[in-house]
């Protein structure tokens, strides 16, 4: 635990060094999302039957995009909802059912559960589809899988897709192993690293350009870009992206700690601090504890009603977390060593999260963080070259 505490303390001490790089130049225009740049897309919707792929993050200021479109007289015919539902209050992995949005009266069709792609009948009569969802820029966060299947449906039914782009809150670095084809799943469909440093619009351009859709098809894609944004920007989300990423601290920690979803450890689902605590009833260090319980967004969390001991990441300041430009493996390596369970510490789901079975084997063989990272470098270098072709905004400085 001393090594972990040392790293946290170091982050706190150097946080002040980051503030200057984080501040926006006085002459730089204010950041506006694609959704907010209505002058660039409202006229394109005139007289058309529109479908919207959106959730609770699809807002401009205090107004939801669906409400705004209806108020502007746009013919909003259908709404498609990703994981967590249209209003964003469903548990991770929970089936989302079709419904009617009470605010607009528009039918809502779920794209999570058994049905992940709109059918031809779902799209009948639709002239254009709008995608506007705030992502977090991590491969295993499933909104980009919904985007992928939406692009396939648009290509198959020859319907144009209009993406209202939003900043990537982790868009200032890339890191992690590249997903291997045999580990493709809904928590990873593309040969990209865990942190890929691209907005939804940029990634969609890459999916199209690299021929990653079924049969290499391409959809008719248009991106309404953000203004006042580049990949050095630290963008603090105005709306929590999902129930268990309930603060920016959790978003910044997510690429590092989500590996624990492929272990026997609890990540604090069923507490007020998911993705900011890590624990298990048998963890040997007893200085910190928490107890997962059932709640609205976590009906049956791992290790429910059991006292878990482990690691508390709640005290890391937000400014310090914004310094991080790599995935932290120390927490996983040290925790697996202290639990001393060998292969029983890990689940095969870790292979889907990491995108490779090699990562689990490396951990079992006692690789250091540096040794593991070295095996990622060639993939990251190749990806970086591909990525550069599809960027819409100035890249981060290395």
């Amino acid at each position: 635990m001393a090594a972990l505490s040392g790293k946290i303390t170091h982050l706190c001490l150097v946080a002040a060094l980051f503030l200057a790089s984080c501040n926006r130049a006085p002459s730089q225009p204010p950041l506006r999302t694609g959704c907010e740049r209505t002058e660039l897309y409202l006229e394109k919707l005139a007289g058309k039957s529109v479908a919207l792929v959106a959730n609770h993050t699809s807002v401009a200021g205090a107004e939801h995009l669906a409400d705004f479109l209806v108020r502007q007289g746009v013919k909003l015919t259908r709404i498609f909802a990703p994981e967590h539902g249209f209003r964003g209050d469903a548990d991770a992995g929970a089936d989302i059912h079709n419904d009617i949005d009470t605010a607009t009266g528009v039918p809502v069709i779920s794209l999570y559960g058994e049905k992940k792609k709109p059918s031809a009948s779902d799209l009948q009569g639709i002239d254009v589809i709008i995608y506007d969802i705030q992502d977090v820029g991590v491969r295993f966060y499933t909104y980009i899988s919904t985007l992928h299947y939406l692009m396939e449906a648009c290509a198959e039914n020859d319907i144009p897709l209009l993406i209202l782009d939003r900043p990537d809150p982790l868009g200032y670095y890339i890191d992690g192993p590249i997903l291997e084809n045999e580990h493709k799943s809904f928590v990873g469909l593309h040969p990209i690293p865990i942190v890929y440093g691209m907005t939804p619009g940029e990634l969609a351009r890459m999916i199209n350009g690299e021929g990653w859709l079924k049969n290499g098809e391409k959809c008719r894609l248009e991106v309404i870009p953000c203004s006042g944004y580049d990949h050095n920007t630290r963008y603090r989300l105005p709306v929590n992206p999902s129930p268990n990423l309930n603060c920016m601290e959790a978003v910044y920690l997510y690429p590092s700690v989500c590996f624990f979803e492929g272990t026997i450890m609890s990540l604090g689902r069923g507490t007020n601090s998911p993705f900011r605590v890590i624990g298990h009833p048998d963890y040997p260090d007893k200085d910190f504890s928490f107890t997962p319980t059932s709640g609205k967004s976590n009906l049956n969390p791992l290790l429910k009603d059991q006292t878990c001991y482990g690691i508390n990441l709640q005290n890391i300041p937000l400014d310090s977390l914004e310094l991080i430009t790599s995935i932290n493996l120390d927490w996983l390596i040290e925790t697996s060593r202290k639990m001393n369970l060998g292969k029983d510490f890990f689940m095969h789901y870790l292979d889907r999260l990491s995108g490779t079975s090699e990562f689990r084997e490396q951990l079992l063989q006692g690789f250091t963080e540096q040794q593991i990272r070295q095996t990622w470098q060639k993939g990251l270098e190749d990806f970086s070259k591909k990525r550069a072709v599809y960027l819409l905004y100035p890249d981060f400085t290395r």
Side-chain angles (χ1 to χ4, degrees):
M1 185 67 80
L4 300 179
S5 300
K7 276 189 175 278
I8 292 171
T9 302
H10 175 71
L11 283 174
C12 297
L13 289 174
V14 300
L17 298 177
F18 174 70
L19 295 179
S21 66
C22 184
N23 291 337
R24 304 177 66 77
S27 59
Q28 192 169 358
L31 194 155
R32 297 174 68 205
T33 66
C35 177
E36 293 170 312
R37 303 183 75 188
T38 57
E39 71 279 5
L40 298 183
Y41 66 87
L42 267 184
E43 289 186 358
K44 299 176 184 290
L45 308 179
K48 295 181 178 178
S49 178
V50 176
L52 175 63
V53 184
N55 67 1
H56 64 291
T57 68
S58 311
V59 294
E63 188 170 25
H64 195 281
L65 178 60
D67 302 330
F68 171 76
L69 293 176
V70 170
R71 184 165 61 81
Q72 294 296 316
V74 173
K75 185 182 178 184
L76 185 59
T77 306
R78 225 149 290 150
I79 294 170
F80 295 99
E83 183 177 9
H84 306 297
F86 181 55
R87 295 299 172 184
D89 55 359
D91 194 5
D95 286 341
I96 308 298
H97 302 289
N98 297 344
D99 204 350
I100 300 292
D101 178 43
T102 56
T104 60
V106 177
V108 178
I109 298 173
S110 170
L111 297 181
Y112 189 75
E114 293 184 4
K115 182 176 189 173
K116 293 181 171 62
K117 182 166 75 173
S119 65
S121 61
D122 291 334
L123 299 177
Q124 189 171 3
I126 298 296
D127 298 314
V128 61
I129 300 178
I130 299 174
Y131 179 94
D132 178 38
I133 295 176
Q134 177 64 62
D135 211 279
V136 300
V138 180
R139 187 185 65 218
F140 37 68
Y141 203 60
T142 63
Y143 295 159
I144 60 171
S145 295
T146 295
L147 174 60
H148 175 102
Y149 286 120
L150 175 69
M151 292 176 68
E152 278 192 357
C154 286
E156 291 165 356
N157 294 276
D158 194 27
I159 298 174
L161 175 62
L162 183 67
I163 294 181
L164 308 184
D165 213 12
R166 290 181 176 269
D168 177 356
L170 300 176
Y172 46 88
Y173 72 100
I174 61 173
D175 201 18
I178 305 297
L179 181 135
E180 298 165 353
N181 191 58
E182 60 266 35
H183 296 292
K184 285 174 63 173
S185 71
F186 200 64
V187 293
L189 288 173
H190 311 115
I192 60 177
I194 289 170
V195 181
Y196 51 87
M198 304 178 84
T199 67
E202 291 173 326
L203 181 61
R205 284 161 48 88
M206 188 177 219
I207 292 170
N208 242 7
E210 295 297 314
W212 290 342
L213 298 179
K214 187 171 65 175
N215 300 323
E217 293 186 332
K218 291 177 171 55
C219 78
R220 287 196 282 153
L221 175 68
E222 181 179 357
V223 180
I224 303 297
C226 306
S227 62
Y229 172 73
D230 63 49
H231 282 285
N232 284 307
T233 304
R234 267 58 171 181
Y235 179 67
R236 296 183 179 180
L237 304 182
V239 180
N240 295 332
S242 57
N244 286 295
L245 287 181
N246 59 11
C247 62
M248 275 308 301
E249 288 87 347
V251 172
Y252 288 133
L253 289 167
Y254 182 64
S256 300
V257 302
C258 195
F259 289 129
F260 284 95
E261 300 266 59
T263 73
I264 63 171
M265 305 290 286
S266 166
L267 262 178
R269 292 183 185 273
T271 73
N272 292 328
S273 300
F275 295 101
R276 299 171 67 202
V277 296
I278 304 162
H280 189 275
D282 297 330
Y283 194 69
D285 294 340
K286 306 297 184 183
D287 295 338
F288 170 72
S289 67
F290 62 90
T291 303
T293 58
S294 180
K296 180 180 179 182
S297 296
N298 292 281
L299 297 178
N300 192 31
L302 182 67
L303 303 175
K304 183 177 71 170
D305 299 329
Q306 299 182 55
T307 301
C308 296
Y309 303 94
I311 300 170
N312 181 13
L313 304 178
Q314 298 173 88
N315 297 323
I316 308 178
L318 184 58
D319 287 343
S320 296
L321 291 171
E322 287 179 326
L323 290 166
I324 296 172
T325 55
S326 63
I327 292 171
N328 185 318
L329 297 180
D330 281 352
W331 296 319
L332 184 62
I333 291 171
E334 184 160 339
T335 302
S336 62
R337 179 180 60 81
K338 288 189 174 183
M339 289 294 285
N340 195 28
L341 295 173
K343 63 182 177 59
D344 292 333
F345 180 78
F346 301 103
M347 294 183 262
H348 285 281
Y349 185 57
L350 181 62
D351 297 353
R352 288 190 175 185
L353 292 172
S354 66
T356 170
S357 55
E358 182 182 43
F359 181 59
R360 182 164 50 94
E361 291 302 317
Q362 290 168 338
L363 293 167
L364 287 169
Q365 292 171 31
F367 277 39
T368 65
E369 179 169 4
Q370 184 177 7
Q371 289 172 323
I372 294 173
R373 287 190 168 285
Q374 189 59 42
T375 65
W376 298 350
Q377 292 314 302
K378 177 62 165 60
L380 286 171
E381 290 168 7
D382 292 344
F383 171 76
S384 183
K385 293 173 185 176
K386 287 182 181 179
R387 171 182 173 274
V389 175
Y390 301 105
L391 296 183
L392 294 167
Y393 313 97
D395 203 0
F396 55 81
T397 52
R398 291 173 170 82

